[in-house]
Amino acid sequence: MTLTLESTAFHQGEDIPRQFSCHGANTSPALSWGALPPNTKSLTLLVLDLDSPFRPYTHWILYNLPPQPNTLPEAIPRSETLPNGAKQGTNSDPQIGYSGPCPPGDSPHRYVFTLYALDTTLTLPTAPDKDQVTKAMQGHILAAGQLTGHFHS
């Protein structure tokens, strides 16, 4: 099953506005998603820069996100645990939470937001990295959806 993932900040294949980058407020964009598989227990969101020389560069790890509501507001705080119980991992900076686009040079980079519907909640160490999260998700992915935006300095 493929999930629909959207943002009010940008559409599929469009440029990500500067306010969501290191050149702006560096806050996370609002996201929303469509119908989830019936057995969805939690969601995981990974944001990766596929064109980074340090491929892939992880910009955000958000896991154990409750399936409802089907929205994520703009400017999620950079704390390990959010009020709704979701947790954030360590990005490639390495920091907890969202780190917006900040590519070196003038070439545009692709930033892929991937949302996974899981049949479980993940048990992970404090502030896990992308490898720990993706390993824990193996065998538990019910569906996934992507939203790709572009950014250049």
Side-chain angles (χ1 to χ4, degrees), residues 14-98:
E14 290 184 350
D15 288 342
I16 297 171
R18 291 183 82 74
Q19 76 185 65
F20 303 108
S21 78
C22 69
H23 301 292
N26 206 19
T27 57
S28 59
L31 298 170
S32 63
W33 48 91
L36 299 171
N39 295 330
T40 302
K41 301 281 189 277
S42 72
L43 303 170
T44 294
L45 177 70
L46 297 177
V47 179
L48 305 175
D49 175 354
L50 299 183
D51 299 311
S52 169
F54 313 103
R55 290 181 201 176
Y57 195 91
T58 304
H59 283 268
W60 198 11
I61 299 169
L62 179 62
Y63 66 100
N64 290 346
L65 182 65
Q68 296 297 325
N70 68 336
T71 59
L72 197 59
E74 185 176 311
I76 296 296
R78 289 182 181 93
S79 57
E80 184 184 327
T81 302
L82 301 177
N84 65 2
K87 297 188 178 288
Q88 297 188 90
T90 304
N91 58 41
S92 293
D93 282 347
Q95 297 176 7
I96 299 285
Y98 178 82

Side-chain angles (χ1 to χ4, degrees), residues 4-8 29-34 70-72 115 147:
T4 302
L5 181 60
E6 299 176 327
S7 178
T8 55
L31 298 170
S32 63
W33 48 91
N70 68 336
T71 59
L72 197 59
L115 184 70
L147 172 65

